[in-house]
Amino acid sequence: MNKSKLVELYKKESMNVFKNIPTNKIVEFVDMVFEAYENEQTLFACGNGGNVASVQNLVVDLNMHPFVSEDKGAQTIFSEQLKYQGEEGDIVFGMSGSGNSKNVLEAFRVAKEKGMKTILVTRNSVNNCNDFSDLVISLEGTSEFPGQTGGNNNNFHFEDVLS
């Protein structure tokens, strides 16, 4: 495949992933964030791997409005913060391509114990975080782009949509 065809394929696949997000899921996400803001509650964010950059970008964006951010870290860094800072009704927003990231899963488990709401963005609709999620936004798609196979299928496009 020549470079122009690869670029066109990549653009087409990324656009299709974004188009496939149900509008009602985006509206529900926005409603949850505004409700938390109006009730002076906290929105926590976590991610794994390359998603850490997307989460950091989300946190910076939300901090431009009066929302609280958290540092990123190892398997229990998110859940430990929630144990001491999270309150019933707060929201935990997690990004995990697989939906199985142990640090996000542990944060969601603690969040549910505390009566918090959880939102997961993933590229894998069948995952371990689903049982602890109030809202799952699954960025579905497949890719023929080189390097997009196996467990990481569609990962490039997943990260594109989140950026």
Side-chain angles (χ1 to χ4, degrees):
M1 223 180 239
N2 70 39
K3 291 177 186 168
S4 292
K5 286 184 179 180
L6 283 174
V7 169
E8 288 302 318
L9 174 63
Y10 192 91
K11 288 169 45 180
K12 178 184 171 191
E13 290 176 349
S14 287
M15 183 174 50
N16 286 336
V17 169
F18 188 70
K19 282 179 167 180
N20 287 333
I21 302 171
T23 300
N24 66 315
K25 295 287 188 174
I26 296 171
V27 170
E28 189 175 351
F29 168 75
V30 170
D31 286 344
M32 289 173 77
V33 171
F34 276 101
E35 181 181 342
Y37 174 73
E38 290 166 359
N39 292 324
E40 296 183 12
Q41 294 180 302
T42 305
L43 189 149
F44 296 90
C46 52
N48 193 57
N51 294 312
V52 171
S54 298
V55 167
Q56 288 171 330
N57 186 51
L58 172 75
V59 169
V60 168
D61 288 346
L62 293 177
N63 272 329
M64 299 311 288
H65 311 284
F67 291 103
V68 178
S69 69
E70 300 300 330
D71 292 330
K72 315 306 170 267
Q75 183 172 335
T76 61
I77 188 67
F78 307 124
S79 58
E80 288 300 311
Q81 293 171 20
L82 298 176
K83 286 179 185 176
Y84 303 105
Q85 298 175 16
E87 296 181 16
E88 184 175 347
D90 287 347
I91 295 174
V92 178
F93 179 82
M95 295 181 182
S96 170
S98 67
N100 299 318
S101 303
K102 291 179 182 176
N103 52 4
V104 177
L105 180 60
E106 182 63 14
F108 276 26
R109 187 188 64 72
V110 169
K112 297 317 297 175
E113 286 176 2
K114 296 182 71 76
M116 300 169 73
K117 296 176 185 173
T118 55
I119 302 169
L120 175 68
V121 177
T122 184
R123 64 175 156 65
N124 184 15
S125 60
V126 177
N127 61 70
N128 294 331
C129 286
N130 281 350
D131 291 341
F132 300 96
S133 299
D134 293 300
L135 172 63
V136 177
I137 300 173
S138 183
L139 307 181
E140 301 288 329
T142 58
S143 180
E144 295 175 26
F145 197 82
Q148 295 293 286
T149 59
N152 284 326
N153 187 18
N154 201 40
N155 201 55
F156 292 156
H157 304 311
F158 172 76
E159 291 177 354
D160 286 345
V161 171
L162 294 176
S163 297

